[in-house]
Amino acid sequence: MSRVAVVVPLRLDSIEVARGLIAKGPPFDLGDTPLEGHCVYLTDSEAVFVFDGPDARAVVEHIVGEADVWE
């Protein structure tokens, strides 16, 4: 198993928007991937997404490349 973290900077004063998006859950079905888990940490200036599972980096790179994830 491996772990990968993705750090995304937040726009100034957008933490409440980020909290709302996170509350909706991931924009993909975790069950459709080999990932075994994920969590999100927020600061005032960034969101840190941590993914666990076999070959987590390759899976996350594939997911990030999908357009519907960014909608």
Side-chain angles (χ1 to χ4, degrees), residues 2-64:
S2 63
R3 176 175 289 160
V4 64
V6 178
V7 180
V8 179
L10 299 177
R11 293 186 180 129
L12 187 62
D13 298 324
S14 66
I15 193 163
E16 292 306 320
V17 173
R19 281 189 181 122
L21 291 170
I22 291 167
K24 292 180 181 180
F28 60 91
D29 185 354
L30 194 61
D32 290 342
T33 74
L35 295 172
E36 296 173 1
H38 82 290
C39 57
V40 182
Y41 302 95
L42 285 177
T43 72
D44 289 338
S45 60
E46 61 193 12
V48 181
F49 299 84
V50 180
F51 299 91
D52 294 305
D55 204 12
R57 180 179 175 168
V59 174
V60 171
E61 286 175 348
H62 175 74
I63 291 168
V64 169

